[in-house]
Amino acid sequence: MMKPDLDDLPEELSDGAVLLRRALIGIGGGIVLIFLVGVIAGYASVVFEHGAPRLVDALIIGAMVLTGAALAYGMWRLWPRGVDGPIGPRVRSARKIFTTAVIASVVVGLVIGIAGGSESLFSNEPVSPGVAVLAIAVWIIIGPVFTWLWYQKIDEHEADAYRDGALVAVHAYIFITPAWWIANRAGWLPAPDTILVLLGVSLLWIIVWFRQRYL
């Protein structure tokens, strides 16, 4: 019996392998990109606090930006595309809106990080009026607009996963927030941290959405 030619074997990965690779690339690469964006914003803020940037500073920032761009390109090139099947125009449009929103968020985050200097939106320290106006505009105007545009384009399966994640996240908020508040009044826990609750609820939303969407 002749051995099968390796060239004749299907090159497509199994659904499980595709999902695993997507999770590794998305989570791992995303964490590195977020860290890199934070480093760029922090370095740039320190540079601008000490006056005009020098040539070496510009080269360092440029190198970090190029590194981030190369990483993002590598993630895009390595992203498995084996289980999606044909993509309709509405889904393609939704993905473009989502990608645009992510890029805009990164840019705004960099601007806020550079303009805010040592201030952090994820702390309880005071922020300057300019940073506050920009952040508020993103959260109550730009964010909702992008979300509405994206939601109008997604398919039924995506919408169901999105709603399931929202349902679980809202109930988690309803249950956790008052429990934390009471525990604080009893002296068992520190005062509720609004941004920590927001991040936790958002993470839960993403986990449920990912499970319903891909698993």
Side-chain angles (χ1 to χ4, degrees), residues 4-15 17-18 82:
D5 189 351
L6 294 179
D7 294 335
D8 296 333
L9 295 178
E11 297 181 358
E12 293 186 357
L13 298 173
S14 65
D15 290 358
V18 169

Side-chain angles (χ1 to χ4, degrees), residues 168-188:
V168 173
V170 168
H171 279 82
Y173 177 81
I174 292 173
F175 297 143
I176 293 174
T177 304
W180 192 347
W181 176 60
I182 292 295
N184 168 251
R185 295 179 63 184
W188 299 337

Side-chain angles (χ1 to χ4, degrees), residues 12 15 18 22 80-89 91-92 95 155 213-214:
E12 293 186 357
D15 290 358
V18 169
R22 284 181 174 180
R81 299 170 175 83
V83 297
D84 290 336
I87 301 176
V91 175
R92 187 178 294 108
R95 292 184 178 181
D155 57 25
R213 180 67 176 84
Y214 294 109

Side-chain angles (χ1 to χ4, degrees), residues 25 33 69-81 99:
I25 294 175
L33 279 177
L71 176 60
Y73 177 75
M75 291 172 61
W76 176 75
R77 290 287 298 174
L78 295 175
W79 188 263
R81 299 170 175 83
T99 302

Side-chain angles (χ1 to χ4, degrees), residues 7 10 27 60 64 80 82 92 95-96 107 126 151 158 183 200:
D7 294 335
I27 296 174
I60 292 174
M64 289 191 290
R92 187 178 294 108
R95 292 184 178 181
K96 289 180 180 179
V107 173
Y151 191 78
E158 180 83 26

Side-chain angles (χ1 to χ4, degrees), residues 16-127:
V18 169
L19 293 174
L20 177 60
R21 182 176 292 185
R22 284 181 174 180
L24 292 175
I25 294 175
I27 296 174
I31 291 175
V32 175
L33 279 177
I34 292 173
F35 174 77
L36 189 58
V37 168
V39 171
I40 294 172
Y43 186 86
S45 65
V46 172
V47 169
F48 283 106
E49 283 179 358
H50 290 80
R54 299 171 301 170
L55 177 60
V56 64
D57 295 323
L59 291 176
I60 292 174
I61 294 175
M64 289 191 290
V65 171
L66 288 177
T67 301
L71 176 60
Y73 177 75
M75 291 172 61
W76 176 75
R77 290 287 298 174
L78 295 175
W79 188 263
R81 299 170 175 83
V83 297
D84 290 336
I87 301 176
R90 287 175 59 88
V91 175
R92 187 178 294 108
S93 178
R95 292 184 178 181
K96 289 180 180 179
I97 293 172
F98 180 79
T99 302
T100 303
V102 171
I103 295 174
S105 299
V106 172
V107 173
V108 171
L110 279 172
V111 172
I112 292 177
I114 295 173
S118 59
E119 302 166 354
S120 173
L121 292 178
F122 298 102
S123 71
N124 294 320
E125 298 297 325
V127 296

